[in-house]
Amino acid sequence: MEGEQERVWRPLWPCPVGVTLSVLRKGPADPTFRTDPDGTIWRGIRTPEGPATLRLRSRAALGEVHASAWGPGADWALASVPALLGAEDDPSGFAPTHRVLADAHRRRPHWRVCRTGLVMEALLPAIIEQKVTGQEAFAGFRQLVHRFGERAPGAGAERGVWVQPAAETLRMVASWEWLHLHIDPARSRAVVRAAQVATSLERTVGLPADEVDRRLRSLPGVGVWTSAEVRFRAHGDADAVSFGDYHIAKNVGWALTGAEVDDDGLAELLEPYRPHRYRVQRLVELAGLSRPRHGPRMAPRRHLPTQHPSRTSR
């Protein structure tokens, strides 16, 4: 196919491509992430060199990952494949003895923390997900991409893959357009402010985790939760914990102790696992371990109340 570039990568471990990249998918209808029936994964990404389509096919029997890319950012996308699939993650020293965690780890022994190297790609949906249901967040993100993003280049367009809006586009989205997307002013302001310093944010890749966290949380509307959600995706931070999440503390607490805990309880439970605390969080998620839910779930909002930015600074 014209414009297609390829590479074959041979990881040093049995790399579970789908499991590793599942954390990047924003709901079943994410327009930037498609999965074929045979497990082939398509991503529409905005690289520092321009938009790209990246297609990944696992050939487990051969110990290979076959990657194809199209668009101005194709070279960058192909070069990013090893880090994207966990080659820069170091799981050494993580040997959980808790029965539940040990079992989850045994079932996913080759999972690694991905590293996209793309900060705004992770930050945009993270801000949209603040203080709303997953259903509402995924719908808002999907509509934003379709309204202000672009078709992925090459074969990606034929597959129905899209690329997120560029930072310069996000800076120009009018306030009423955000409301039409059911993204309230507090979150839209946080997105626009982040987009204004997008170039600086992208330069945080490769910095120490505490410095990345400090710089992210210096942005209005970005708190502990949002910073962690960005760091374990864009920076490959295996110690980034999503404190402030509606479910994670309760689910991890229930999985490890049989009872729900709050953020303080979660911090206490995870402390012995430094610098691998995110591994615990993600293994619980991958194992499908969640507490029984007897009460009503958080309902989607029917209106958009005016909120002070600090109330959505997660």
Side-chain angles (χ1 to χ4, degrees), residues 157-176:
E158 300 170 16
R159 183 59 182 84
V161 181
W162 288 69
V163 178
Q164 285 190 26
E168 52 267 28
T169 300
L170 293 171
R171 293 196 293 264
M172 301 301 293
V173 176
S175 58
W176 61 84

Side-chain angles (χ1 to χ4, degrees), residues 24 26 30 33 94 102 129 150 181 194 212 216 236 250 273 277 284 314:
L24 302 180
K26 297 302 179 180
D30 182 349
F33 192 114
F94 182 68
E129 290 172 28
E150 62 188 276
L181 300 171
V212 175
L216 285 170
K250 297 180 178 69
Y273 295 97
R277 292 178 298 168
V284 168
R314 295 178 60 190

